[in-house]
Amino acid sequence: MKLLKDLLQKVSIKEIKGIITKKVKKLCINHLNVVDNSIFAAICGNKFDGHNFIINAIKKGANTIICEKFPNEINKNITYILVNNTSEAIGIISSNFFDNPSEKINIIGITGTDGKTTIASMLYELFKKLGEKVALISTINIKIINYKFLTKNTTPDVITINHILYLAIKKGCKYAFIEVSSHGIFQKRIFGLNFKLGIFTNITHDHINYHKNFNNYFLIKKLFFDSLSKKSFALINADDKYSSIILKNSNANKYSYALKNNKSTYKAKIIKKNFSYTELLLNNNFLKTKLIGEYNTYNLLAIYGTANLLLKINEDKIIKIMSTLRPIKGRFEQFLYKKIRIIIDYAHTPNAISNVLETIQELKNNNNKLICVIGCGGNRDIEKRPIMASIAYNKSDLVILTSDNPREENPQNIINDMMKNLKIKNFKKKLFSIIDRKKAIENAIFFSKKGDIILIAGKGHEKYQEINGKRYYFNEKKLSKKFLKKIKK
């Protein structure tokens, strides 16, 4: 339990109605989670306005309401805190509630269109293997040392983040790696957190439906680096054309990594590559890695640069441990069955699908087909649908358009959007449309022969399909193995 007056330290308050000497047991932004003596923060979201649930929160036991407008009926037993921005206020309040954890642990935030999950997860594994106690907040899962928590968003709400950081500190963690999404920045889910290091991977087409245009999307990413302090580091991909602008106005100590920009702090050169491993020179250090593709070399550079900046240990030791890192689930995850190669990848942006397909084309034998199974998510960026389909069509030998997570949309309408700009020469031979993703995977395997490669793109680590508000179990790796054994006897 904490005193309300202590939790309001540093909060910009317009007006208070009620006493601030009461005790607070819990912080909530969802009225369904409220218990006795809770603070309920009424946040104005895209779908719901928390102000409409103030009465519900009070009925469930909230003793304090954080709001941007007072409700029509004021309960004399409740304290109402009027602020300009509820999301910012609850960010500061949650930091105070959990004893300002971001000031006691080194937080590394990774942002960009692609690579966030791989970099965050690999940094977690690297630092752990180097003897550090670490925490991870990512798309795939939340971890404190080896303990796992469930996660729904790439970047959780600020109350959850502060709680995880608080628990991590209790366990002795010195570092926490957090994926920072554009939604997370825009919705103030990281507001009030003190980051030791920020990583910029790249910026390409994504989330345009949410941010309205690319410029807004870019500026949101830039906000993260604008907020970094003089004591922090910024590590950016210098080969991305927006890298110099992203650091404009940033007070952080600036470092960079690149494959092409020779002026970068951290540089790499690929020596050899195949489906099993990549050999490269990383700042003149030899590294043999299981991570495949040029885009993964960029990820490795970011990982190496972070370790070099934060850990005062021998470079050889960092490189040695990096060589033991393995690809994470759903990121170029591959297996062979009777010489048919299945690759499962989370690629769900134009740049990501292009990178994965180019990597496969570079590595495969010219006599073998590349079959791509791909869909686009429902209730998400419509503009990228035809772009992704065109990339898949142009860089594959055979494409099967299917559903991804259609959510509340009609999957056929999504596929129709994907096909808008396709210039199809041999429709029957080159492209198929199968709404049922399970049947799409089955047909891809049916069409394949020895030596062929099947890329199943878009869902990666996810073990479900989201259809009309429900999640149905869907394991692409298990399905693929099942169909391979059935069809390729």
Side-chain angles (χ1 to χ4, degrees):
M1 299 278 276
K2 297 288 178 74
L3 281 176
L4 177 58
K5 67 181 183 69
D6 294 332
L7 300 181
L8 296 177
Q9 295 296 316
K10 298 182 181 179
V11 177
S12 180
I13 299 170
K14 293 172 70 176
E15 189 179 346
I16 298 176
K17 290 187 177 183
I19 62 170
I20 59 171
T21 53
K22 59 181 60 174
K23 290 183 178 180
V24 173
K25 182 180 180 182
K26 188 179 180 182
L27 309 179
C28 299
I29 57 174
N30 185 335
H31 70 100
L32 297 173
N33 298 330
V34 171
V35 297
D36 285 344
N37 300 315
S38 293
I39 286 179
F40 173 67
I43 293 175
C44 297
N46 284 334
K47 293 183 178 180
F48 304 104
D49 184 348
H51 292 80
N52 296 329
F53 302 97
I54 288 175
I55 293 175
N56 300 54
I58 291 171
K59 286 180 179 177
K60 286 180 70 69
N63 65 11
T64 304
I65 304 296
I66 312 295
C67 53
E68 294 173 14
K69 55 187 177 184
F70 287 131
N72 294 328
E73 294 183 17
I74 299 296
N75 186 321
K76 64 180 182 179
N77 298 315
I78 305 300
T79 300
Y80 300 86
I81 313 291
L82 188 68
V83 297
N84 285 317
N85 189 301
T86 314
S87 296
E88 291 184 2
I90 197 63
I92 297 169
I93 290 168
S94 61
S95 287
N96 291 335
F97 187 86
F98 292 107
D99 301 328
N100 298 295
S102 70
E103 295 177 7
K104 302 170 185 175
I105 189 171
N106 295 301
I107 307 177
I108 295 84
I110 304 97
T111 195
T113 305
D114 306 304
K116 296 187 294 294
T117 303
T118 295
I119 293 171
S121 301
M122 292 288 186
L123 279 169
Y124 169 83
E125 292 297 334
L126 174 64
F127 274 56
K128 193 169 68 169
K129 287 185 175 184
L130 287 168
E132 300 291 345
K133 290 184 177 180
V134 287
L136 171 69
I137 300 176
S138 79
T139 301
I140 295 178
N141 51 39
I142 295 173
K143 293 180 181 179
I144 297 175
I145 307 176
N146 290 317
Y147 186 80
K148 294 182 182 180
F149 300 78
L150 292 175
T151 180
K152 288 185 178 180
N153 296 321
T154 297
T155 309
D157 65 81
V158 72
I159 299 171
T160 301
I161 293 176
N162 274 294
H163 187 204
I164 293 297
L165 294 176
Y166 171 80
L167 295 175
I169 291 165
K170 289 289 185 184
K171 293 290 184 181
C173 293
K174 287 176 61 180
Y175 300 93
F177 305 101
I178 303 178
E179 286 187 53
V180 178
S181 67
S182 59
H183 290 69
I185 301 168
F186 183 78
Q187 295 172 8
K188 312 285 186 181
R189 295 186 217 157
I190 59 168
F191 191 84
L193 297 180
N194 177 35
F195 285 84
K196 179 67 175 178
L197 187 148
I199 299 172
F200 171 69
T201 62
N202 68 345
I203 189 159
T204 60
H205 187 116
D206 200 17
H207 302 307
I208 304 303
N209 63 312
Y210 185 84
H211 298 293
K212 308 306 179 188
N213 57 59
F214 181 83
N215 190 55
N216 288 345
Y217 175 50
F218 169 75
L219 290 175
I220 288 297
K221 294 286 190 184
K222 187 179 183 305
L223 274 177
F224 173 60
F225 292 92
D226 291 348
S227 69
L228 295 177
S229 73
K230 291 180 180 179
K231 294 180 180 180
S232 62
F233 302 100
L235 179 60
I236 62 161
N237 174 3
D239 285 342
D240 187 278
K241 63 182 179 180
Y242 296 99
S243 60
S244 58
I245 309 171
I246 207 98
L247 286 183
K248 207 171 182 181
N249 305 323
S250 177
N251 292 317
N253 297 285
K254 301 170 179 68
Y255 296 85
S256 60
Y257 62 92
L259 281 170
K260 299 165 188 172
N261 189 323
N262 292 324
K263 294 180 180 179
S264 292
T265 318
Y266 304 101
K267 297 176 281 290
K269 181 181 179 181
I270 297 173
I271 303 168
K272 185 179 179 181
K273 53 189 176 181
N274 55 43
F275 280 111
S276 299
Y277 60 85
T278 303
E279 290 182 354
L280 54 95
L281 283 177
L282 202 161
N283 270 25
N284 294 319
N285 297 294
F286 177 79
L287 173 64
K288 185 175 181 179
T289 174
K290 291 285 186 182
L291 274 72
I292 312 301
E294 182 179 274
Y295 64 95
N296 265 324
T297 300
Y298 281 105
N299 294 335
L300 287 164
L301 275 164
I303 293 162
Y304 174 78
T306 301
N308 185 263
L309 287 169
L310 298 182
L311 299 174
K312 299 184 185 299
I313 60 174
N314 190 285
E315 285 187 7
D316 292 339
K317 189 174 182 180
I318 296 173
I319 293 292
K320 184 178 179 181
I321 299 300
M322 283 181 67
S323 69
T324 68
L325 298 177
R326 296 292 180 267
I328 61 176
K329 287 183 179 179
R331 269 61 174 182
F332 213 90
E333 186 176 0
Q334 55 178 318
F335 64 90
L336 276 169
Y337 182 84
K338 293 192 175 179
K339 296 187 178 179
I340 296 171
R341 187 180 299 273
I342 304 287
I343 298 173
I344 297 170
D345 196 278
Y346 189 57
H348 62 286
T349 68
N351 187 64
I353 193 66
S354 180
N355 283 337
V356 173
L357 288 170
E358 283 179 6
T359 297
I360 297 170
Q361 287 286 9
E362 287 174 4
L363 300 178
K364 82 177 186 70
N365 188 309
N366 290 332
N367 297 323
N368 304 127
K369 290 198 305 289
L370 169 52
I371 301 169
C372 180
V373 178
I374 186 171
C376 287
N379 305 111
R380 296 291 187 270
D381 191 346
I382 293 174
E383 289 183 26
K384 73 179 181 183
R385 291 173 183 175
I387 300 171
M388 289 178 63
S390 294
I391 291 168
Y393 182 75
N394 292 324
K395 297 188 177 186
S396 307
D397 299 301
L398 189 152
V399 179
I400 301 177
L401 301 182
T402 187
S403 60
D404 188 285
N405 289 319
R407 299 184 177 89
E408 283 78 36
E409 273 197 81
N410 183 327
Q412 185 58 60
N413 293 341
I414 298 172
I415 292 173
N416 292 343
D417 285 340
M418 294 178 75
M419 294 181 68
K420 278 180 181 176
N421 298 336
L422 288 180
K423 296 177 181 178
I424 303 165
K425 296 177 182 178
N426 299 309
F427 181 86
K428 291 182 180 178
K429 292 184 180 180
K430 178 77 177 178
L431 184 141
F432 294 86
S433 169
I434 304 172
I435 290 177
D436 188 320
R437 192 173 178 94
K438 186 176 179 181
K439 289 183 179 178
I441 293 170
E442 185 176 19
N443 275 272
I445 291 168
F446 176 79
F447 291 137
S448 68
K449 59 185 180 184
K450 286 183 180 179
D452 288 347
I453 299 159
I454 300 170
L455 171 65
I456 305 172
K459 291 181 60 58
H461 64 282
E462 294 176 352
K463 297 293 185 290
Y464 62 85
Q465 247 197 316
E466 190 174 336
I467 304 169
N468 293 322
K470 293 184 178 180
R471 288 187 173 185
Y472 299 90
Y473 180 73
F474 198 91
N475 189 318
E476 294 185 334
K477 190 172 182 179
K478 285 186 177 179
L479 277 174
S480 300
K481 289 183 175 180
K482 175 185 172 183
F483 292 140
L484 280 165
K485 289 176 182 177
K486 175 184 171 184
I487 298 168
K488 305 297 179 181
K489 292 180 180 179

